[in-house]
Structure formats: structure tokens, C-alpha cells
């Protein structure tokens, strides 16, 4: 295949293009470095800087954007979820991101089982909207929570469910398309009569259809001979859809063309019923090749809806990473497994299908290498473990970096075992030790990630030689270079090895027919860029290696390597479930996703001559992208590769503001523990001042606080004052009954009833509670605002105070999840060599962890009611919630633990000026609505101060309790039937009269001062 140089944008009138797009197109038009930097790559090994990013507000606006680009000769790249693994979604082009606005389900015809959609709709969202009709779109790739239908059409996506429903191409009925030169039309199956009518009308459409007929006729025999007859042939253009026996289907011919031929504006899709019953059979094998051997035998005896595989290497990585352990624990004996799912109209039907296969294979349900389930929840967990393969294998705990590039080959299922053996032999030949092998084995599709050395010239040369050899290998087995992810740049150059020169020439003719100017996603499939060109890394990549505050012990002590954790999977763009990423869910902006921020940090580190960010830590583009990061740490747990954007944000802020003034909020809220201690002088007066008309508004402006926010109230009596007044004596640190209750700022100065309740419950459980009476702090607020030098000093002082308890291994009980998470995670990263920090991380426990795991025989009070529970994001990410669930069970609480994401307040974030709108948008996506619908007699539990504050200020009419408070109230007796939280003590709001009196007094004081100043000035004028 011929090669062309990458598109040269130097001839494009960029300034004119920007002006015309802004003038003519109803869209967000972005030529700035930050926006372009967020789109430089996708999920692949490749990187190209876009000319611009266009986010159309409607499909019509998107079409207009293409028309403007055509007038300026600028190339165009349509993009959905941006998860492509072969480089299809990165180009030196105008990127049109359809996902923010163009996501309408236009119509549904339940009887015909069809729907019409816009290209930006996400698959899971589409299926949610179809659920009332008990219908769904059949193909379901692992990125279903965030992949867009336009991208699925572009890539011809599949997923595990393609076993039952086929590829995307098999489920598309019609497409509304737009060519670069302006033809806009619907296409689909086209009869001979319809083609004659189109020809008679003349024009550009007739020209295209005439060209299509010519290609189909001239290359008829080549297409029939040259396309492998396998379920997962995704490589190449779908010329086979133009064959007479396939109805001359132009829509299906365009599916999988990766945006290189047309822009898809709308799509009519075929739908399938949602299966009412399912079961799952798991078969164990000694190795993955044996599992591959058995696939054809399995298929002889059944027609499963999914037939997936995972190997022992993946299971090993999951165990090492602590991921999907519940699923792994129910795997049967073996070192590789086939997961066979059945669907049907009754449970008896699907169960019998599984048992019939066992009989045919000579196995039984009780055999050690067999596991059977007809529990949908358990099955979902098992299949999610397989679905997580890309993330689990991307950053193995052994420190190797693995990459795509040959992650998607497919062969006839009957050839699978032999192909796997040959592929493993090829791995050995190149020294690619033991990559995991898994995938959609029922259709012969094999996924893997390989430790290519993409940073050295020798490693890149080996990469090229390997994929060339692998291409020849898969063709020798009658297979396809791609079985799901498409060709793009990763496999475009290899297509001749699979199809031969004549068919590749036909691909070129098809490209020329639709896009004669080569402006639609150029350099992909036809005249492709080299497989080893435009690499995200490459031998010339030389990033900065800056000195940092955090140690990044899990990333070889390298900030650069930490940033490289992101491989573009895009789970941070999901719309519901888990925590990650709240700012993306509120804004639908790529640069406000975890992935977008990681891309900008990567660009900030430089390493390429065309890096979009050139001013390092001082970058305003990176600062702006990080500004809406809530530092919730959801990505640390929810991201498959463990990106920790909260830590990266703190690191960036520390350098960005180093040696210069910071935002006012960094002083007002970053130093909150200090101001809280000062409040002890006169807490009631402070509360009145903070809520006095006029004064409060002026104070918020001065402090950088959002005007819509109310300052939290300081308690009249702090927890420390209460504890000292008890005069209960100081417990011996060496006493096994002694525990230290950590006096965090929030439980000490704002909601002391929480800490007081915790003391009473811990004592009821038989423990002696010690509390440091010298001021201590975990440093949280300084960390979150990037004041890391101060945070380290604060932590060192805290370690000195805790010294006797650390030496005695005394348990330290945290009540505020964010503070506990600092001790478990942030402090060890900030001070990785400090032995006391390591001791502290090992000794700190949550309230629930200690009572569940270290109070044998103790029974909590029986609360016997329902509870709606919000898990703090830092607890979700670091400590997890298992112990809390168990403690609530022991207390006879019927707990509904919300899965509605972050509360949106997130410490200082929701209080800062400019963040209130996003904070509330995050909360209103599910968290606050769930609180409002909670039964009046139920408990509302939220251990995080931020979560409780958001509930109080979120127009819910409710307040939330800490679990310790709920148990403490239970020790006192029965809770009231409605709004039980009213028994908890909270600081009283200043009276209306007191607030106005303070304002009047302040005004009088200012007037008096002004009068005195005026008199002084007059005296100086009269008596110089």
C-alpha cells in the first residue's frame, strides 16, 4: 500500500477558519492550546495535535462545521467517546466532538424494533432510554458506559454480546451521511430499481452510487475470495456489503470506515429484546490454549449469548491489584476459563442449556473445574471481571508498561487453540514475556496487551517487526488483523498482507469516490501513516523530569510515569455509577474528565516538538483544567489504571503558585484548621459575623467563597473542651484496650457531637479512649490547596504528638473519612521515607473497621430501621465501605448505600468562588434527589462533613448523621419515628436580631471611624 505524508496544516488559513467557524456555526469553537491538548490522543499508541476542536450544539451545527472546514480545505475528524485503540480518533484535523450536545434518541418504533439516534448518544444511555420497551441495541463493547453510537458505527464495534447479536454493522439499518463536498443523504440497502432512480436524478449522489456499482462489479470475485468468512472480520472497508447477496447496503458498507469516508449525522438502528433470563457456566482449563481448543466443541453443542475467556495471567494481575476478588474467588479450578452465558425466556430454559452442554462435554456441575450460576448479580460481577481486561493488564504491578498494537486479532473459532500457541511462540521469540490472553473466544477474537519498548529506537523497530510477523501469522490461520477495534494507524499499513494489492486498491478507490480531497480523517486505512509513526512516546520523546513533593512510590518515584498511567480507556466519561468523574458528568467536557486532565499534564511535561503546553508548571491551561477537579479521589479507585488526579492536582498547584500569591480561598479554606482554633475565642460572635447581612457577603468576597454558600457554624463547645472537662485520666498507650480518637477539625470544631458519640460507643465496646489535647492536624486542607510544604510541616508536628502511640502500636480511630484517607494514602506519598508515617498508615482505622474487626463479642445498639447512606468519596477510594456495611447490619439497619457519585461539595471545592454551579450540578445528578425521596423515618447517614453540609444546604429539609452519632443515639434509647436526626446536637444559627445588630454595629463602627478620619484630615488641613 502506498504511503502519504501526514497532513500538513501549514497551508491552512487557521485564523480565517477560526473566524468563519465562530461566525457561522452554533458550536463551541476552540483553537486554544488546552482544548487541543486534551484531544491529542485516544486510547492508542498514537498522538497528533488537532487544528481545533468543535463541539456542535446540534447535528445541523455539526454539518455546518464540516461545510466551513471544506471551504478552507481543513481535514475533519468526527469523535465520540475517544476510546479508539488503533489511532482512529487522533489526527491533525478539526475534531468534531459530538458527545456533549448531539445525544438525542430521536424516535423509537417498538413494533419494528428500530430507533433513530444522533451520533453522540452513549450506548448505556440509549439502552436506559429503551428499557421501558424491553429493547436494547445488541452490540455491547466493554466501553458501553461511555462509548458513543457514532464511534461504534465508525469502528464497527462488537463486544461480548456480538456472540448473539453480531457486530454493529449487523445492527445498522440506515445512516444519514454528509460527504466532505456537501452531499447529505440517507443511505441503506438499495435495490436495483432504487439505484436506477438515483442514476436518473443525476448529481453527486448518482456519481457515488455509480462508483459503488463499478467497484462492486469490478472486484466482485476478489471480495468473495478475499474476505475471510469469520464472525469477527472488522479490518478493511465493508465492500462485502455491496455484494448482490447482501442487498447493496451502502449504510453497512460505510460502517467501520472510521470517519475516513463520510460524517454520520444520524443513524437508524435495529434493536433486540432484552433477555429476561440468563445463566452463566464457567469451565476451567489447564491453560488458555486448551480453552481455545475447546471453543469449537462448545459451539457444536450450544448457542450461547456470550462465550468469553480469561487466562491465569489476568487472574494473577487481578489478585495482585486487589481487583474483582469476589469474582476470582468463585472461579472453578484451572488456570484459564471459558465463561459461557445463556439467555432465554425462562430460567428453566437457560439452566437446561448449561446442563446440556455439561453433559455433552462429559462434565458435571459439581466438578472442581466447573462453576454454574443463575444469579444475575453474581453473573454480572463475573463478566465485569472479564470486561476489565484492558485496564487490569495496562499497568501490571510488576512495573512493566503494556501497549495495544496487536490487541485485537481474530481467527476462525476452530483455529483458535493453534493460533494461540503460535502467537505465544512469537511472544517468546521477541522476548515479550507472558502477556495476558483473553477475549471473545466464541468468535475467535483475542485481546492482549504487549510490553513493547516504545521509548527506544530498537524497541520501536521490534514493535514494527512483531506486528508484521503477527499479521502474517493471523492471515495464515484464515483470520483478520482486527476483530473489533478497527485498523486506524495501528493496522492500516498491514492491510495488504491480509487482503492483497487488488482489494487494497479497491479500498483506495472507495476512499477517492467519497473523499477525493483526502480530508476525512486522513492517514487512516487508506494511504495510512506508518504503524510506527506519530507515536505518543517514541525514541525522540524526551519529557521533563521535574522535582516533586509527592514521592509516587507506585510509579518508580516519577511524576511523569504517574501521569502516563492514563491509557485512554475513558471510564471517567461514564454517566452514572461509582464516583469518577463528577466534573465530567456535570460539564460533559473532555478537559474536565480524568483522561483530559492527564492528557494536558502529559503535554505539560513536553517531550515532543509540537507539545501544546509550553510553560510547564505555570500553565494556565492546565490550571484551568484542574480547577474543576473536585479532588474526590474517585479516579484512584474507579480508574482501571489507578490515576490519582487529586494528588496530581495538589502537586501542580504547589508548583504553579510557588513563590507568588495564591487565590484567596487557599488562605481562607486552606488554613481552616488555624481559623477554627482562633474561633474558640468567641465562637458565637464568629458565627454571627459570618452570617450578618452585608458583612457575610463582603467576607465571602474577601475569602474567595461562593456567594451562594453559607459558612458552616462553629460549635459553642469544641470536642477537645468537652474531653478535657471529663477529666477521665490519660489511658496508657500500651494498654491493649486503649485507642486514640483522632480529633479532626470538623468533628472537633463544627460537629463535636460526632466525636462525643464515638467516645461513648467505643467505651461501650470496652475501649479506653485517648485524645491528643495538643493541637494536631492531618494537613488535609493544605494538601487539597497545594500548600504541600506547609502540609508536611503540619504532619511532622502531628507525628511528634502521636509519638508515644505510634511506638506502642495504639490503634488510631478516624471519624472524618478525608482525614483518615490522608493518613492511609496522602501522607505516605508525601513522606515516603518516614517510618512514623508508615506506622501511622498501618495503625489508623475507621470507626467501623475497629468495631467490626477488633471488638469481639460487642453488640451495637439495635436501631431497627431503614437508612439512606452516602459514602464519602475518599472512603470509597481508599478505605472502602465493607466494614461500615457490616456494622450497620449488626445494628439492624436496612441500609441503602447510594451509588449516586460524589456529593459535589468535596471539601473546599464547593465553597470556592466559581465552583458553586458545578458543585450543585454534581449533587443534583442523583445524590440530593435520593436524599429528598428518603422516607421521613429513615436515618440519613453521611460520615463526611462535606456530604452532611451539602445535604443541609441543598434544599432537602433534612440533616445527616455520622454513623457514630446514630449508634450513640441508639445507646440512649429509641429514636423518634420521624426525622431522627433532630436529636443530634448541631450549632444553633445566630438569631435574625443578632445578625442585624452585628451589621448595624459594624456600620456604626465604620461610620464613627470615617467621621474620626474626616476630622483628622480637616485638622491637618487647618493646622499644617
Amino acid at each position: 500500500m502506498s504511503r502519504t505524508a501526514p497532513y500538513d496544516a501549514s497551508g491552512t488559513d487557521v485564523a480565517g477558519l477560526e473566524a468563519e467557524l465562530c461566525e457561522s456555526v452554533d458550536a463551541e469553537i476552540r483553537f486554544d492550546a488546552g482544548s487541543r491538548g486534551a484531544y491529542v490522543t485516544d486510547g492508542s499508541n498514537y498522538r497528533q495535535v488537532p487544528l481545533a476542536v468543535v463541539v456542535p450544539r446540534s447535528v445541523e451545527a455539526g454539518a455546518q462545521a464540516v461545510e466551513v472546514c471544506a471551504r478552507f480545505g481543513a481535514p475533519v475528524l468526527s469523535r465520540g467517546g475517544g476510546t479508539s485503540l488503533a489511532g482512529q480518533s487522533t489526527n491533525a484535523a478539526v475534531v468534531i466532538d459530538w458527545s456533549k450536545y448531539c445525544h438525542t434518541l430521536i424516535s423509537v418504533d417498538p413494533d419494528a424494533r428500530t430507533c433513530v439516534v444522533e451520533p453522540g448518544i452513549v450506548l448505556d444511555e440509549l439502552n436506559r432510554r429503551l428499557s421501558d420497551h424491553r429493547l436494547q441495541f445488541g452490540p455491547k463493547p466493554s466501553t458501553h458506559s461511555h462509548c458513543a453510537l457514532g464511534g461504534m458505527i465508525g469502528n464497527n464495534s462488537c463486544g461480548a454480546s456480538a456472540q448473539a447479536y453480531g457486530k454493529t454493522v449487523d445492527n445498522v439499518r440506515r445512516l444519514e451521511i454528509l460527504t466532505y463536498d456537501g452531499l447529505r443523504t440517507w443511505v441503506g440497502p438499495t435495490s436495483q430499481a432504487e439505484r436506477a432512480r438515483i442514476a436518473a436524478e443525476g448529481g453527486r449522489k448518482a456519481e457515488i452510487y455509480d462508483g459503488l456499482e463499478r467497484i462492486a462489479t469490478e472486484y466482485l470475485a476478489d471480495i468473495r475470495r478475499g474476505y475471510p468468512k469469520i464472525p469477527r472480520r472488522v479490518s478493511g472497508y465493508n465492500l462485502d456489503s455491496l455484494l448482490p447477496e447482501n442487498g447493496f447496503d451502502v449504510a453497512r458498507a460505510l460502517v467501520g470506515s472510521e470517519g475516513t469516508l463520510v460524517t454520520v449525522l444520524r443513524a437508524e438502528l435495529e434493536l433486540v429484546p432484552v433477555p429476561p433470563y440468563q445463566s452463566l457456566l464457567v469451565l476451567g482449563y489447564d491453560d488458555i490454549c486448551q480453552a481455545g481448543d475447546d471453543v469449537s466443541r462448545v459451539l457444536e453443542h450450544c448457542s450461547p449469548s456470550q462465550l468469553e475467556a480469561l487466562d491465569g495471567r489476568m487472574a494473577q494481575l487481578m489478585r495482585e491489584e486487589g481487583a474483582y476478588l469476589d469474582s476470582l474467588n468463585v472461579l472453578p479450578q484451572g488456570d484459564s476459563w471459558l465463561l459461557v452465558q445463556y439467555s432465554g425466556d425462562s430460567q428453566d430454559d437457560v439452566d437446561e442449556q448449561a446442563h446440556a452442554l455439561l453433559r455433552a462435554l462429559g462434565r458435571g456441575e459439581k466438578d472442581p473445574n466447573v462453576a454454574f450460576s443463575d444469579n444475575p448479580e453474581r453473573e454480572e460481577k463475573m463478566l465485569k471481571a472479564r470486561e476489565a481486561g484492558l485496564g487490569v493488564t495496562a499497568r501490571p504491578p510488576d512495573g512493566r508498561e503494556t501497549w495495544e498494537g496487536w490487541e485485537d486479532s481474530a481467527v476462525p473459532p476452530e483455529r483458535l487453540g493453534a493460533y494461540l500457541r503460535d502467537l505465544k511462540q512469537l511472544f517468546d521469540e521477541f522476548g515479550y514475556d507472558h502477556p495476558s490472553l483473553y477475549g471473545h473466544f466464541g468468535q475467535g477474537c483475542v485481546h492482549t496487551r504487549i510490553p513493547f519498548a516504545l521509548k527506544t529506537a530498537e524497541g520501536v523497530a521490534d514493535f514494527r517487526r512483531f506486528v508484521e510477523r503477527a499479521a502474517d501469522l493471523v492471515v495464515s490461520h484464515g483470520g483478520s488483523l482486527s476483530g473489533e477495534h478497527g485498523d486506524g494507524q495501528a493496522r492500516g499499513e498491514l492491510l495488504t498482507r491480509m487482503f492483497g494489492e487488488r482489494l487494497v486498491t479497491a479500498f483506495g478507490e472507495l476512499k477517492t469516490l467519497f473523499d477525493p480531497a483526502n480530508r476525512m480523517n486522513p492517514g487512516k486505512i487508506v494511504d495510512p501513516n506508518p504503524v510506527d509513526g506519530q507515536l505518543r512516546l517514541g525514541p525522540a520523546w524526551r519529557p521533563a523530569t521535574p522535582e516533586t513533593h509527592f514521592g509516587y512510590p507506585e510509579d518508580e518515584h516519577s511524576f511523569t510515569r504517574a501521569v502516563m498511567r492514563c491509557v485512554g480507556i475513558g471510564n471517567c466519561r461514564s454517566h452514572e455509577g461509582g464516583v469518577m468523574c463528577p466534573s465530567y458528568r456535570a460539564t460533559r467536557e473532555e478537559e474536565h474528565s480524568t483522561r483530559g486532565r492527564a492528557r494536558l499534564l502529559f503535554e505539560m511535561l513536553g517531550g515532543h516538538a509540537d507539545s501544546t503546553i509550553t510553560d510547564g508548571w505555570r500553565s494556565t491551561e492546565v490550571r484551568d483544567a484542574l480547577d474543576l477537579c473536585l479532588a474526590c479521589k474517585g479516579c484512584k479507585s474507579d480508574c482501571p489504571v489507578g490515576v490519582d488526579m487529586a494528588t496530581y492536582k495538589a502537586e501542580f498547584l504547589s508548583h504553579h503558585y510557588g513563590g507568588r500569591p495564591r487565590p484567596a480561598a487557599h488562605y481562607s479554606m486552606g488554613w481552616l484548621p488555624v481559623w477554627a482554633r482562633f474561633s474558640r475565642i468567641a465562637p458565637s460572635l464568629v458565627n454571627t459575623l459570618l452570617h450578618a447581612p452585608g458583612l457575610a457577603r463582603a467576607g465571602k468576597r474577601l475569602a474567595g467563597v461562593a456567594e451562594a454558600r453559607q459558612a458552616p457554624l462553629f460549635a459553642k463547645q469544641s470536642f477537645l473542651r468537652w474531653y478535657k472537662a471529663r477529666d477521665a485520666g490519660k489511658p496508657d498507650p500500651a494498654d491493649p484496650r486503649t485507642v486514640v480518637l483522632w480529633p479532626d477539625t470538623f468533628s472537633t470544631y463544627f460537629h463535636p457531637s460526632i466525636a462525643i458519640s464515638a467516645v461513648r460507643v467505643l467505651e461501650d465496646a470496652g475501649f479506653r479512649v485517648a485524645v491528643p489535647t495538643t493541637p494536631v492536624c492531618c494537613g488535609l486542607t493544605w494538601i487539597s490547596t497545594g500548600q504541600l510544604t506547609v502540609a508536611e510541616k503540619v504532619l511532622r508536628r502531628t507525628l511528634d504528638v502521636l509519638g508515644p502511640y505510634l511506638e506502642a502500636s495504639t490503634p488510631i480511630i478516624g471519624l472524618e473519612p478525608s482525614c483518615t484517607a490522608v493518613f492511609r494514602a496522602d501522607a505516605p506519598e508525601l513522606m515516603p521515607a518516614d517510618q512514623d508515617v508508615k506506622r501511622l498508615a498501618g495503625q489508623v482505622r475507621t470507626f467501623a473497621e475497629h468495631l467490626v474487626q477488633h471488638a469481639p463479642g460487642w453488640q451495637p445498639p439495635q436501631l431497627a430501621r431503614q437508612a439512606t447512606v452516602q459514602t464519602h468519596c475518599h472512603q470509597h477510594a481508599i478505605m472502602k465501605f465493607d466494614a461500615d456495611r457490616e456494622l450497620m447490619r449488626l445494628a439492624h439497619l436496612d441500609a441503602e448505600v447510594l451509588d449516586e457519585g460524589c456529593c459535589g461539595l468535596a471539601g473546599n471545592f464547593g465553597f470556592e468562588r466559581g465552583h458553586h454551579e458545578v458543585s450543585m450540578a454534581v449533587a443534583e445528578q442523583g445524590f440530593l434527589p435520593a436524599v429528598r425521596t428518603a422516607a421521613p423515618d429513615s436515618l440519613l447517614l453521611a460520615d463526611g462533613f462535606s456530604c452532611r453540609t451539602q445535604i443541609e444546604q441543598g434544599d432537602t429539609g433534612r440533616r445527616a448523621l455520622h454513623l457514630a452519632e446514630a449508634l450513640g443515639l441508639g445507646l440512649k434509647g429509641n429514636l423518634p419515628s420521624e426525622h431522627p436526626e433532630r436529636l443530634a446536637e448541631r450549632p444553633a444559627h445566630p438569631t435574625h436580631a443578632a445578625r442585624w445588630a452585628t451589621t448595624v454595629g459594624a456600620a456604626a463602627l465604620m461610620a464613627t471611624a470615617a467621621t474620626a478620619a474626616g476630622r483628622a484630615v480637616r485638622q491637618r488641613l487647618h493646622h499644617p
Side-chain angles (χ1 to χ4, degrees), residues 457-500:
E458 181 183 4
V460 171
D462 285 345
F463 162 63
R464 167 177 272 282
R465 288 194 304 112
F466 176 85
V467 296
E468 289 173 343
R469 292 276 303 280
D472 293 339
L473 174 63
V474 78
V475 170
S476 74
H477 283 275
S480 173
L481 309 178
S482 171
E484 180 165 31
H485 300 154
D487 298 318
Q489 187 166 347
R491 287 170 281 275
E493 194 183 3
L494 306 172
L495 288 173
T496 306
R497 295 170 181 265
M498 174 178 169
F499 289 101

Side-chain angles (χ1 to χ4, degrees), residues 357-389:
L357 175 63
L358 287 176
R359 290 192 295 271
L361 297 179
R363 298 198 193 192
E365 186 179 338
K366 302 299 183 182
D367 290 356
N369 59 358
V370 172
F372 173 73
S373 170
D374 55 11
N375 180 319
E377 185 176 339
R378 181 182 171 190
E379 292 166 33
E380 187 69 19
K381 285 184 178 180
M382 291 285 292
L383 291 170
K384 276 188 178 295
R386 209 311 281 144
E387 208 172 72

